[in-house]
Amino acid sequence: MSEVKQPAHIAMRILREYEIADKKPRVACSECKQINCLDYSETRRGKQPLPICEDCDKNQERLKNMEQKKLATRQRIKDSGLPEKWHNCLWDSFRELTPTDIEIKKLAQESWHRDKGLTLIGPPGVGKTHILACIALAFIRKGISVKFIKARDLISSITESWKSKTPYNPIELVMGYSVIILEDLTFEAPPPEFILRNFNQLMDKIYESGNTKLFISTNLPLSGPKSLESYLGAHGEKSPFVSRLCELTLIKKWPDNFPDRRREKK
């Protein structure tokens, strides 16, 4: 393609405008107070804008964009369902980190680069929810859609729907989200069949999406007596939920005798 050339009269007009601009008086910038702004007071009618130099104008635009991003991030946090008490969770909030903490924290921070999510297993008070909150905030700040679900609230909603015979589809909870976080998936006995069916459908939907990352915390081991396998397996069979969980996430566990950090604070 041949180069497009400006007509000579247009080029001359542009040069004249530059020459006129250079000769115009300069005024102080309303931000940095440097005498480097063109005075347009004679050419503009009505209310005059505050003079601002090019550098300060760019800085104001940058600050405006930053504020818009902050507002968008706050809205994504609100939409995620993450409880307000965890909106300011930090990776470095733990006073002392054990080797297990360091390994799990590293895996959690690297989850952005992996296809698999993470299943955190450990007794109460080790910091599972805190880490899940940090994961949620990290993805949200990168502009990734996150849904934070408390397992007991999900079970309660499914149960109330079944009792009242009103339609309830937990799959709608996860539609449109790139990261699903299920906090404190714990049972004290095998759940009713209708809860089991809903959990399996939910897991199947996440699995079939192919691009949704899953993060779960639980107090229960994966297998053995009183485990996710024993509670979520129908009639003593192996659990499809746990099978999918092993494929979709890395499994990391704190020792059973790990101290309760909540009690240490008191």
Side-chain angles (χ1 to χ4, degrees):
M1 295 178 64
S2 60
E3 182 180 357
V4 178
K5 296 183 178 180
Q6 293 283 2
H9 70 282
I10 295 179
M12 291 298 295
R13 187 177 69 188
I14 293 173
L15 287 173
R16 281 198 300 271
E17 288 177 356
Y18 275 111
E19 290 173 358
I20 293 171
D22 285 338
K23 295 176 182 178
K24 278 184 174 291
R26 301 275 171 163
V27 295
C29 171
S30 59
E31 292 292 325
C32 66
K33 308 307 179 185
Q34 297 295 317
I35 308 297
N36 54 6
C37 298
L38 291 176
D39 184 3
Y40 289 107
S41 58
E42 295 180 359
T43 60
R44 295 187 180 183
R45 297 179 180 179
K47 185 178 180 180
Q48 300 297 322
L50 292 174
I52 184 168
C53 68
E54 184 178 356
D55 289 341
C56 290
D57 187 43
K58 288 181 180 179
N59 187 51
Q60 281 193 350
E61 187 66 26
R62 182 179 63 83
L63 293 175
K64 181 181 177 181
N65 291 336
M66 287 176 61
E67 186 60 28
Q68 289 176 342
K69 287 180 180 179
K70 286 181 181 179
L71 292 174
T73 298
R74 292 193 196 106
Q75 188 60 48
R76 284 195 297 270
I77 292 174
K78 182 179 179 181
D79 294 341
S80 73
L82 181 68
E84 188 173 355
K85 67 175 291 186
W86 295 318
H87 284 188
N88 297 310
C89 278
L90 301 174
W91 289 111
D92 299 324
S93 295
F94 295 139
R95 288 177 297 176
E96 295 181 5
L97 294 177
T98 67
T100 304
D101 292 328
I102 294 172
E103 179 189 6
I104 292 175
K105 176 184 172 183
K106 185 172 183 292
L107 287 172
Q109 291 175 319
E110 292 174 349
S111 60
W112 168 259
H113 306 289
R114 291 194 315 268
D115 292 333
K116 287 190 173 186
L118 198 61
T119 294
L120 304 177
I121 302 174
V126 298
K128 301 185 298 296
T129 300
H130 185 99
I131 288 178
L132 289 183
C134 288
I135 291 172
L137 292 171
F139 277 105
I140 288 171
R141 290 180 181 126
K142 291 180 182 291
I144 305 299
S145 57
V146 174
K147 186 63 177 178
F148 190 96
I149 306 169
K150 301 182 82 169
R152 64 176 177 269
D153 292 343
L154 178 59
I155 293 171
S156 177
S157 296
I158 295 172
T159 303
E160 288 300 319
S161 172
W162 182 80
K163 287 180 178 178
S164 62
K165 301 187 184 304
T166 56
Y168 179 78
N169 185 5
I171 292 176
E172 295 178 356
L173 282 174
V174 303
M175 292 181 65
Y177 292 95
S178 299
V179 175
I180 305 299
I181 297 178
L182 188 57
E183 187 254 345
D184 196 20
L185 180 61
T186 301
F187 302 94
E188 296 180 357
E193 191 275 335
F194 66 88
I195 289 180
L196 187 62
R197 181 175 63 253
N198 276 275
F199 268 89
N200 286 336
Q201 289 174 353
L202 185 65
M203 182 62 85
D204 286 343
K205 183 64 178 179
I206 295 172
Y207 180 81
E208 290 165 3
S209 72
N211 58 1
T212 302
K213 289 187 180 181
L214 177 65
F215 297 86
I216 287 182
S217 67
T218 179
N219 299 339
L220 300 172
L222 284 187
S223 59
K226 297 183 178 180
S227 64
L228 287 180
E229 183 85 79
S230 65
Y231 289 148
L232 295 177
H235 310 294
E237 299 177 357
K238 289 189 175 181
S239 167
F241 184 94
V242 174
S243 178
R244 297 284 199 208
L245 189 65
C246 292
E247 185 171 354
L248 291 171
T249 68
L250 297 176
I251 313 296
K252 286 301 167 184
K253 185 177 184 297
W254 278 269
D256 293 336
N257 61 351
F258 198 93
D260 187 334
R261 285 192 167 98
R262 299 190 192 104
R263 296 185 180 184
E264 287 182 344
K265 289 181 179 179
K266 295 182 179 180

